[in-house]
Amino acid sequence: ATGLLICLIGRATKRMEHFMGLPKTYTGVLRLGEVTPSYDAETDVTERHAWEHLTEADLEAARQAFLGPIEQTPPAYSAIKVGGERLYKKARRGETVEVPSRSVRVDRFDITGWEGPNVSFRIDCSKGTYIRSIAHDVGRHLGVGAHLVALRRTAIGPYDVSRAWRIDQLEHAAASHAESDS
């Protein structure tokens, strides 16, 4: 995953809940016909299915099914805590855990390209939405499986990645600030 990350320091941390609650925009690629336990490319493919029979109409129907308020089950490989422990730790040990579903909202879901098994998309969604779960659920809806192979957060509320600092710019600004305080 790449893209926009808002970093808060000092007194700004008091506004963390505000920033976390803002809607998010993502672009990404899901791969049809392959299923992974993590719903992304971080774990090995455990199932393969033919996807070549799918049509644009099939993909459009799947896209429409994930617009608006939806119930979503986060992946077992997530940072959600169950019983005081992160789910990904349990998943890596091979433990099976019931992951509670949650209500999230998808305000926009556009298919921006389709080449072979790879489907490019853009999603505008509420906080707490797992794009990996959407990729997985789209594949399940289509009956062929899918997992996420690329993800980029392009916006958090009004804050857009095109106006963000790169890491080297942030380091330079921090160093300049430290020098001016000396």
Side-chain angles (χ1 to χ4, degrees):
T2 64
L4 185 61
L5 176 67
I6 294 177
C7 298
L8 303 173
I9 58 173
R11 288 183 294 219
T13 58
K14 292 178 182 174
R15 299 213 43 226
M16 181 176 63
E17 289 299 320
H18 164 75
F19 288 101
M20 288 179 63
L22 293 172
K24 316 293 188 287
T25 299
Y26 296 92
T27 59
V29 177
L30 63 86
R31 181 164 298 146
L32 299 168
E34 296 179 348
V35 177
T36 70
S38 61
Y39 301 174
D40 63 18
E42 292 298 312
T43 55
D44 293 335
V45 173
T46 55
E47 295 177 37
R48 293 186 195 281
H49 305 279
W51 56 269
E52 295 83 356
H53 64 281
L54 295 174
T55 66
E56 287 186 25
D58 295 327
L59 204 53
E60 175 60 18
R63 181 191 76 79
Q64 288 283 336
F66 293 93
L67 281 171
I70 61 172
E71 281 297 309
Q72 180 182 77
T73 302
Y77 286 81
S78 66
I80 294 170
K81 285 187 177 180
V82 172
E85 187 177 22
R86 304 272 183 203
L87 282 177
Y88 65 82
K89 290 182 178 183
K90 294 175 182 284
R92 288 181 184 146
R93 287 195 305 264
E95 294 178 30
T96 304
V97 177
E98 269 306 304
V99 182
S101 67
R102 56 172 56 179
S103 297
V104 296
R105 189 184 69 256
V106 176
D107 297 315
R108 179 178 181 174
F109 184 178
D110 298 334
I111 303 300
T112 58
W114 185 9
E115 188 173 328
N118 296 325
V119 177
S120 302
F121 61 85
R122 174 198 161 138
I123 289 179
D124 294 350
C125 58
S126 65
K127 76 171 190 165
T129 304
Y130 277 85
I131 305 302
R132 290 182 288 154
S133 290
I134 290 177
H136 175 82
D137 293 345
V138 164
R140 189 172 47 191
H141 182 89
L142 292 167
V144 301
H147 71 281
L148 191 67
V149 295
L151 183 65
R152 180 169 180 79
R153 185 166 43 209
T154 59
I156 300 172
Y159 305 97
D160 192 272
V161 72
S162 65
R163 297 188 341 241
W165 285 353
R166 295 184 319 269
I167 292 293
D168 62 320
Q169 292 171 314
L170 178 61
E171 289 170 341
H172 177 74
S176 297
H177 180 73
E179 287 173 12
S180 69
D181 282 349
S182 315

